[in-house]
């Protein structure tokens, strides 16, 4: 199966807010392993002493068990550079817009050898009970990634 990503979508027909400008991700088949999507942001690596804050709005329709269970949907937001990563585990009950802002993440042991590697942000569904099923949609809007470096 494949995943389709479409820009400037309106989630209203899926029970979401009636507003355009959402990024829509759709899976056309049941996923049988971890699944997700990523975006390369820049080439200034995350190193020890840096701070990262991630923010976004997300809407995941789940009225028809598009994420298997009827309980909360667990997903990860990962910022990765080279061999290092910062992981936020997030849960949502689905069928509502969630506003998410991570607390400031300060990687304590990030290897400075990752300098010059690209920084990617991944949204992943790694838990078998929450793998996207055929017809699953995720809408994301107002994504922010703040990467600050001292000195």
């Amino acid at each position: 199966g494949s995943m389709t990503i479409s820009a400037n979508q309106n989630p209203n027909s899926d029970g979401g807010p009636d507003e355009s400008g959402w990024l829509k991700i759709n899976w056309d088949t049941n996923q049988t392993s971890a699944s997700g999507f990523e975006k390369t942001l820049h080439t200034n690596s995350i190193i020890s002493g840096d701070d990262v804050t991630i923010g976004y709005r997300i809407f995941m329709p789940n009225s028809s068990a598009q994420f298997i269970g009827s309980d909360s949907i667990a997903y990860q937001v990962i910022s990765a550079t080279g061999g290092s990563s910062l992981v936020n585990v997030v849960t949502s009950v689905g069928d509502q817009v969630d506003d998410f802002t991570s607390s400031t993440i300060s990687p304590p042991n990030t290897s400075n050898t990752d300098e010059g590697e690209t920084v990617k942000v991944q949204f992943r569904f790694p838990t078998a009970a929450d793998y996207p099923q055929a017809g699953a949609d995720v809408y994301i809007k107002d994504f922010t990634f703040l990467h600050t470096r001292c000195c």
Side-chain angles (χ1 to χ4, degrees):
S2 62
M3 178 178 56
T4 304
I5 300 176
S6 307
N8 199 27
Q9 299 297 300
N10 186 326
N12 187 252
S13 63
D14 281 329
D18 187 11
E19 58 186 42
S20 60
W22 291 77
L23 184 69
K24 178 182 180 180
I25 298 87
N26 172 269
W27 287 264
D28 66 356
T29 56
N30 292 348
Q31 302 301 293
T32 58
S33 61
S35 183
F37 50 95
E38 73 178 19
K39 174 68 177 163
T40 299
L41 298 177
H42 59 75
T43 57
N44 191 10
S45 305
I46 300 169
I47 61 173
S48 293
D50 289 2
D51 291 329
V52 172
T53 305
I54 298 171
Y56 55 89
R57 294 171 62 206
I58 191 167
F59 173 69
M60 294 183 287
N62 197 34
S63 57
S64 300
Q66 292 95 326
F67 292 90
I68 300 180
S70 59
D71 60 347
S72 62
I73 304 163
Y75 64 97
Q76 295 175 334
V77 182
I78 303 169
S79 172
T81 178
S84 303
S85 62
L86 307 170
V87 180
N88 289 291
V89 178
V90 185
T91 58
S92 172
V93 296
D95 296 319
Q96 67 184 26
V97 174
D98 294 316
D99 293 313
F100 176 81
T101 302
S102 72
S103 54
T104 300
I105 307 162
S106 300
N109 297 311
T110 303
S111 169
N112 289 349
T113 60
D114 289 343
E115 184 64 32
E117 296 284 339
T118 58
V119 174
K120 298 177 181 179
V121 171
Q122 302 171 339
F123 284 77
R124 293 179 41 85
F125 297 87
T127 305
D130 295 319
Y131 290 162
Q133 300 300 288
D137 294 318
V138 172
Y139 293 87
I140 296 177
K141 188 174 185 178
D142 301 332
F143 179 84
T144 60
F145 182 89
L146 179 61
H147 176 193
T148 56
R149 177 165 293 159
C150 173
C151 316

